[in-house]
Each structure stands twice: as C-alpha cells, then as structure tokens.
Short mmCIF file of all heavy atoms in Angstrom, two decimals:
data_model
loop_
_atom_site.label_atom_id
_atom_site.label_comp_id
_atom_site.label_asym_id
_atom_site.label_seq_id
_atom_site.Cartn_x
_atom_site.Cartn_y
_atom_site.Cartn_z
N THR J 1 -36.68 -34.66 -21.96
CA THR J 1 -35.84 -35.14 -23.05
C THR J 1 -34.50 -34.41 -23.02
O THR J 1 -34.46 -33.18 -22.90
CB THR J 1 -36.52 -34.92 -24.41
OG1 THR J 1 -37.77 -35.63 -24.43
CG2 THR J 1 -35.64 -35.43 -25.54
N PHE J 2 -33.42 -35.17 -23.14
CA PHE J 2 -32.07 -34.61 -23.03
C PHE J 2 -31.29 -34.74 -24.33
O PHE J 2 -30.07 -34.91 -24.31
CB PHE J 2 -31.32 -35.31 -21.89
CG PHE J 2 -32.02 -35.26 -20.58
CD1 PHE J 2 -32.78 -36.33 -20.14
CD2 PHE J 2 -31.94 -34.14 -19.77
CE1 PHE J 2 -33.44 -36.30 -18.93
CE2 PHE J 2 -32.59 -34.09 -18.55
CZ PHE J 2 -33.35 -35.17 -18.13
N SER J 3 -31.96 -34.65 -25.45
CA SER J 3 -31.34 -34.91 -26.74
C SER J 3 -30.19 -33.98 -27.10
O SER J 3 -29.30 -34.35 -27.86
CB SER J 3 -32.39 -34.88 -27.85
OG SER J 3 -33.03 -33.61 -27.90
N SER J 4 -30.19 -32.77 -26.57
CA SER J 4 -29.15 -31.80 -26.89
C SER J 4 -28.27 -31.47 -25.69
O SER J 4 -27.50 -30.51 -25.74
CB SER J 4 -29.77 -30.53 -27.45
OG SER J 4 -30.63 -29.92 -26.50
N TYR J 5 -28.35 -32.26 -24.64
CA TYR J 5 -27.62 -32.00 -23.41
C TYR J 5 -26.27 -32.71 -23.41
O TYR J 5 -26.00 -33.57 -24.23
CB TYR J 5 -28.43 -32.47 -22.21
CG TYR J 5 -29.62 -31.62 -21.87
CD1 TYR J 5 -30.53 -31.23 -22.83
CD2 TYR J 5 -29.85 -31.22 -20.55
CE1 TYR J 5 -31.64 -30.46 -22.51
CE2 TYR J 5 -30.96 -30.47 -20.21
CZ TYR J 5 -31.85 -30.09 -21.19
OH TYR J 5 -32.96 -29.34 -20.86
N THR J 6 -25.44 -32.32 -22.46
CA THR J 6 -24.21 -33.03 -22.16
C THR J 6 -24.40 -33.81 -20.86
O THR J 6 -24.88 -33.26 -19.88
CB THR J 6 -23.03 -32.07 -22.02
OG1 THR J 6 -22.78 -31.45 -23.28
CG2 THR J 6 -21.78 -32.81 -21.56
N MET J 7 -24.04 -35.08 -20.88
CA MET J 7 -24.11 -35.90 -19.68
C MET J 7 -22.69 -36.29 -19.30
O MET J 7 -21.95 -36.81 -20.13
CB MET J 7 -24.97 -37.14 -19.91
CG MET J 7 -26.42 -36.82 -20.22
SD MET J 7 -27.49 -38.28 -20.33
CE MET J 7 -27.48 -38.85 -18.63
N GLY J 8 -22.35 -36.05 -18.05
CA GLY J 8 -20.99 -36.27 -17.62
C GLY J 8 -20.86 -37.00 -16.31
O GLY J 8 -21.84 -37.23 -15.60
N TRP J 9 -19.62 -37.39 -16.02
CA TRP J 9 -19.27 -38.06 -14.78
C TRP J 9 -18.23 -37.25 -14.02
O TRP J 9 -17.26 -36.75 -14.61
CB TRP J 9 -18.71 -39.46 -15.04
CG TRP J 9 -19.73 -40.44 -15.53
CD1 TRP J 9 -20.00 -40.77 -16.83
CD2 TRP J 9 -20.61 -41.21 -14.73
NE1 TRP J 9 -21.00 -41.71 -16.88
CE2 TRP J 9 -21.39 -42.00 -15.60
CE3 TRP J 9 -20.81 -41.33 -13.34
CZ2 TRP J 9 -22.36 -42.89 -15.13
CZ3 TRP J 9 -21.78 -42.21 -12.89
CH2 TRP J 9 -22.54 -42.97 -13.79
N PHE J 10 -18.44 -37.14 -12.73
CA PHE J 10 -17.51 -36.50 -11.83
C PHE J 10 -17.23 -37.45 -10.68
O PHE J 10 -17.98 -38.40 -10.46
CB PHE J 10 -18.07 -35.18 -11.30
CG PHE J 10 -18.23 -34.12 -12.35
CD1 PHE J 10 -19.29 -34.15 -13.23
CD2 PHE J 10 -17.32 -33.08 -12.44
CE1 PHE J 10 -19.45 -33.17 -14.20
CE2 PHE J 10 -17.47 -32.09 -13.40
CZ PHE J 10 -18.53 -32.14 -14.28
N ARG J 11 -16.18 -37.19 -9.94
CA ARG J 11 -15.89 -38.01 -8.78
C ARG J 11 -15.29 -37.16 -7.67
O ARG J 11 -14.68 -36.12 -7.92
CB ARG J 11 -14.95 -39.17 -9.11
CG ARG J 11 -13.54 -38.76 -9.51
CD ARG J 11 -12.75 -39.97 -9.97
NE ARG J 11 -11.38 -39.62 -10.30
CZ ARG J 11 -10.51 -40.46 -10.84
NH1 ARG J 11 -10.87 -41.71 -11.11
NH2 ARG J 11 -9.27 -40.06 -11.12
N GLN J 12 -15.47 -37.63 -6.45
CA GLN J 12 -14.92 -36.94 -5.30
C GLN J 12 -14.40 -37.96 -4.31
O GLN J 12 -15.16 -38.80 -3.81
CB GLN J 12 -15.95 -36.04 -4.63
CG GLN J 12 -15.38 -35.18 -3.51
CD GLN J 12 -16.34 -34.12 -3.04
OE1 GLN J 12 -17.55 -34.23 -3.24
NE2 GLN J 12 -15.82 -33.09 -2.42
N ALA J 13 -13.11 -37.90 -4.04
CA ALA J 13 -12.47 -38.77 -3.07
C ALA J 13 -12.45 -38.08 -1.71
O ALA J 13 -12.52 -36.85 -1.63
CB ALA J 13 -11.05 -39.11 -3.51
N PRO J 14 -12.36 -38.84 -0.63
CA PRO J 14 -12.31 -38.24 0.70
C PRO J 14 -11.19 -37.22 0.83
O PRO J 14 -10.05 -37.50 0.49
CB PRO J 14 -12.08 -39.43 1.63
CG PRO J 14 -12.66 -40.59 0.88
CD PRO J 14 -12.34 -40.31 -0.56
N GLY J 15 -11.53 -36.04 1.32
CA GLY J 15 -10.54 -34.99 1.52
C GLY J 15 -10.10 -34.27 0.27
O GLY J 15 -9.20 -33.43 0.32
N LYS J 16 -10.71 -34.58 -0.87
CA LYS J 16 -10.34 -33.94 -2.12
C LYS J 16 -11.53 -33.23 -2.75
O LYS J 16 -12.68 -33.48 -2.41
CB LYS J 16 -9.78 -34.98 -3.10
CG LYS J 16 -8.49 -35.64 -2.64
CD LYS J 16 -7.95 -36.58 -3.70
CE LYS J 16 -6.64 -37.21 -3.26
NZ LYS J 16 -6.10 -38.11 -4.30
N GLU J 17 -11.22 -32.35 -3.68
CA GLU J 17 -12.25 -31.64 -4.41
C GLU J 17 -12.88 -32.53 -5.47
O GLU J 17 -12.26 -33.47 -5.96
CB GLU J 17 -11.68 -30.38 -5.05
CG GLU J 17 -11.13 -29.36 -4.07
CD GLU J 17 -12.21 -28.76 -3.21
OE1 GLU J 17 -13.33 -28.54 -3.71
OE2 GLU J 17 -11.94 -28.52 -2.02
N ARG J 18 -14.10 -32.20 -5.83
CA ARG J 18 -14.76 -32.91 -6.91
C ARG J 18 -14.02 -32.64 -8.22
O ARG J 18 -13.60 -31.50 -8.48
CB ARG J 18 -16.21 -32.44 -7.03
CG ARG J 18 -17.04 -33.17 -8.07
CD ARG J 18 -18.39 -32.50 -8.22
NE ARG J 18 -18.26 -31.16 -8.75
CZ ARG J 18 -19.20 -30.22 -8.67
NH1 ARG J 18 -20.34 -30.49 -8.04
NH2 ARG J 18 -18.99 -29.03 -9.20
N GLU J 19 -13.85 -33.66 -9.04
CA GLU J 19 -13.14 -33.49 -10.29
C GLU J 19 -13.91 -34.11 -11.46
O GLU J 19 -14.65 -35.07 -11.30
CB GLU J 19 -11.74 -34.10 -10.22
CG GLU J 19 -11.73 -35.61 -10.03
CD GLU J 19 -10.32 -36.19 -10.07
OE1 GLU J 19 -9.40 -35.51 -10.59
OE2 GLU J 19 -10.14 -37.32 -9.59
N PHE J 20 -13.71 -33.53 -12.60
CA PHE J 20 -14.31 -34.03 -13.83
C PHE J 20 -13.65 -35.34 -14.25
O PHE J 20 -12.44 -35.49 -14.15
CB PHE J 20 -14.16 -32.99 -14.94
CG PHE J 20 -14.55 -33.49 -16.29
CD1 PHE J 20 -15.88 -33.56 -16.67
CD2 PHE J 20 -13.59 -33.89 -17.20
CE1 PHE J 20 -16.25 -34.02 -17.92
CE2 PHE J 20 -13.93 -34.35 -18.45
CZ PHE J 20 -15.27 -34.41 -18.81
N VAL J 21 -14.46 -36.27 -14.74
CA VAL J 21 -13.95 -37.56 -15.19
C VAL J 21 -14.14 -37.74 -16.69
O VAL J 21 -13.18 -37.98 -17.42
CB VAL J 21 -14.63 -38.72 -14.44
CG1 VAL J 21 -14.14 -40.06 -14.98
CG2 VAL J 21 -14.35 -38.62 -12.94
N ALA J 22 -15.38 -37.64 -17.15
CA ALA J 22 -15.68 -37.87 -18.55
C ALA J 22 -17.06 -37.33 -18.87
O ALA J 22 -17.88 -37.13 -17.99
CB ALA J 22 -15.60 -39.36 -18.90
N ALA J 23 -17.32 -37.10 -20.16
CA ALA J 23 -18.63 -36.60 -20.57
C ALA J 23 -18.88 -36.93 -22.03
O ALA J 23 -17.95 -37.16 -22.81
CB ALA J 23 -18.72 -35.08 -20.35
N ILE J 24 -20.15 -36.93 -22.38
CA ILE J 24 -20.55 -37.09 -23.77
C ILE J 24 -21.57 -36.01 -24.10
O ILE J 24 -22.50 -35.76 -23.34
CB ILE J 24 -21.12 -38.50 -24.04
CG1 ILE J 24 -21.51 -38.65 -25.52
CG2 ILE J 24 -22.30 -38.81 -23.12
CD1 ILE J 24 -21.80 -40.08 -25.93
N ASN J 25 -21.36 -35.36 -25.23
CA ASN J 25 -22.25 -34.31 -25.70
C ASN J 25 -23.20 -34.91 -26.72
O ASN J 25 -22.78 -35.29 -27.81
CB ASN J 25 -21.44 -33.17 -26.31
CG ASN J 25 -22.28 -31.95 -26.63
OD1 ASN J 25 -23.48 -32.05 -26.89
ND2 ASN J 25 -21.66 -30.78 -26.63
N TRP J 26 -24.47 -34.98 -26.38
CA TRP J 26 -25.44 -35.61 -27.27
C TRP J 26 -25.63 -34.85 -28.57
O TRP J 26 -26.01 -35.44 -29.58
CB TRP J 26 -26.79 -35.75 -26.58
CG TRP J 26 -26.82 -36.71 -25.45
CD1 TRP J 26 -27.27 -36.48 -24.18
CD2 TRP J 26 -26.42 -38.09 -25.46
NE1 TRP J 26 -27.17 -37.60 -23.42
CE2 TRP J 26 -26.65 -38.61 -24.17
CE3 TRP J 26 -25.89 -38.92 -26.45
CZ2 TRP J 26 -26.36 -39.93 -23.84
CZ3 TRP J 26 -25.58 -40.23 -26.11
CH2 TRP J 26 -25.83 -40.72 -24.82
N SER J 27 -25.37 -33.55 -28.59
CA SER J 27 -25.59 -32.77 -29.79
C SER J 27 -24.66 -33.14 -30.92
O SER J 27 -25.03 -33.03 -32.10
CB SER J 27 -25.47 -31.28 -29.48
OG SER J 27 -24.14 -30.94 -29.11
N ASP J 28 -23.44 -33.56 -30.61
CA ASP J 28 -22.48 -33.92 -31.65
C ASP J 28 -21.79 -35.26 -31.42
O ASP J 28 -20.99 -35.70 -32.25
CB ASP J 28 -21.42 -32.83 -31.83
CG ASP J 28 -20.69 -32.49 -30.55
OD1 ASP J 28 -20.74 -33.30 -29.60
OD2 ASP J 28 -20.07 -31.42 -30.49
N GLY J 29 -22.08 -35.91 -30.29
CA GLY J 29 -21.50 -37.21 -30.00
C GLY J 29 -20.08 -37.18 -29.49
O GLY J 29 -19.49 -38.24 -29.28
N ARG J 30 -19.53 -36.02 -29.28
CA ARG J 30 -18.16 -35.92 -28.82
C ARG J 30 -18.02 -36.33 -27.36
O ARG J 30 -18.91 -36.11 -26.55
CB ARG J 30 -17.64 -34.49 -29.01
CG ARG J 30 -17.52 -34.08 -30.47
CD ARG J 30 -17.05 -32.65 -30.60
NE ARG J 30 -16.91 -32.26 -32.00
CZ ARG J 30 -16.59 -31.05 -32.41
NH1 ARG J 30 -16.38 -30.09 -31.52
NH2 ARG J 30 -16.50 -30.80 -33.70
N THR J 31 -16.89 -36.94 -27.06
CA THR J 31 -16.59 -37.36 -25.70
C THR J 31 -15.37 -36.63 -25.18
O THR J 31 -14.50 -36.20 -25.94
CB THR J 31 -16.37 -38.87 -25.63
OG1 THR J 31 -15.32 -39.25 -26.52
CG2 THR J 31 -17.64 -39.62 -26.01
N TYR J 32 -15.29 -36.53 -23.87
CA TYR J 32 -14.22 -35.81 -23.21
C TYR J 32 -13.77 -36.61 -22.00
O TYR J 32 -14.58 -37.25 -21.32
CB TYR J 32 -14.69 -34.42 -22.78
CG TYR J 32 -15.31 -33.62 -23.90
CD1 TYR J 32 -16.67 -33.75 -24.19
CD2 TYR J 32 -14.54 -32.75 -24.67
CE1 TYR J 32 -17.24 -33.03 -25.23
CE2 TYR J 32 -15.12 -32.03 -25.70
CZ TYR J 32 -16.46 -32.17 -25.97
OH TYR J 32 -17.03 -31.46 -27.00
N TYR J 33 -12.45 -36.56 -21.72
CA TYR J 33 -11.90 -37.32 -20.61
C TYR J 33 -10.86 -36.52 -19.86
O TYR J 33 -10.10 -35.75 -20.45
CB TYR J 33 -11.24 -38.61 -21.12
CG TYR J 33 -12.18 -39.55 -21.80
CD1 TYR J 33 -12.33 -39.52 -23.18
CD2 TYR J 33 -12.91 -40.48 -21.08
CE1 TYR J 33 -13.21 -40.39 -23.82
CE2 TYR J 33 -13.79 -41.35 -21.70
CZ TYR J 33 -13.93 -41.30 -23.07
OH TYR J 33 -14.79 -42.17 -23.70
N ALA J 34 -10.82 -36.74 -18.56
CA ALA J 34 -9.73 -36.21 -17.77
C ALA J 34 -8.46 -36.99 -18.09
O ALA J 34 -8.51 -38.18 -18.42
CB ALA J 34 -10.04 -36.32 -16.28
N ASP J 35 -7.32 -36.33 -18.01
CA ASP J 35 -6.06 -37.00 -18.32
C ASP J 35 -5.81 -38.21 -17.43
O ASP J 35 -5.20 -39.19 -17.87
CB ASP J 35 -4.90 -36.02 -18.16
CG ASP J 35 -4.87 -34.96 -19.25
OD1 ASP J 35 -5.48 -35.19 -20.31
OD2 ASP J 35 -4.22 -33.92 -19.05
N SER J 36 -6.30 -38.16 -16.21
CA SER J 36 -6.06 -39.24 -15.26
C SER J 36 -6.76 -40.55 -15.63
O SER J 36 -6.37 -41.61 -15.15
CB SER J 36 -6.48 -38.81 -13.86
OG SER J 36 -7.86 -38.47 -13.83
N VAL J 37 -7.79 -40.47 -16.47
CA VAL J 37 -8.54 -41.67 -16.84
C VAL J 37 -8.47 -41.99 -18.32
O VAL J 37 -8.96 -43.04 -18.75
CB VAL J 37 -10.01 -41.56 -16.41
CG1 VAL J 37 -10.12 -41.23 -14.93
CG2 VAL J 37 -10.75 -40.51 -17.25
N LYS J 38 -7.88 -41.12 -19.10
CA LYS J 38 -7.81 -41.31 -20.55
C LYS J 38 -7.07 -42.62 -20.86
O LYS J 38 -6.00 -42.88 -20.34
CB LYS J 38 -7.10 -40.12 -21.19
CG LYS J 38 -7.24 -40.04 -22.70
CD LYS J 38 -6.66 -38.73 -23.22
CE LYS J 38 -7.37 -37.52 -22.63
NZ LYS J 38 -6.82 -36.24 -23.15
N GLY J 39 -7.67 -43.42 -21.73
CA GLY J 39 -7.10 -44.70 -22.09
C GLY J 39 -7.58 -45.84 -21.23
O GLY J 39 -7.38 -47.01 -21.59
#
C-alpha cells in the first residue's frame, strides 16, 4: 500500500542526465512540476 508515498515521473533523453518531470504526494495531494513541462 502506497497511501503515504510520493509517486513521480522522470525522463532521460539520449546523451542526457535523468531529470525530474512531475510528482504527486499522496499524503497531502500536492503536485510538483519541472519548469520545462509546467502548463
């Protein structure tokens, strides 16, 4: 059960480092976004 966990998305393009994309925190429902994908 992951009721209090954070579930997120990351991505990695060829030749680049892995980067954070977005996440949702189940404990409070808050979401987070990288500036590159916001909106």
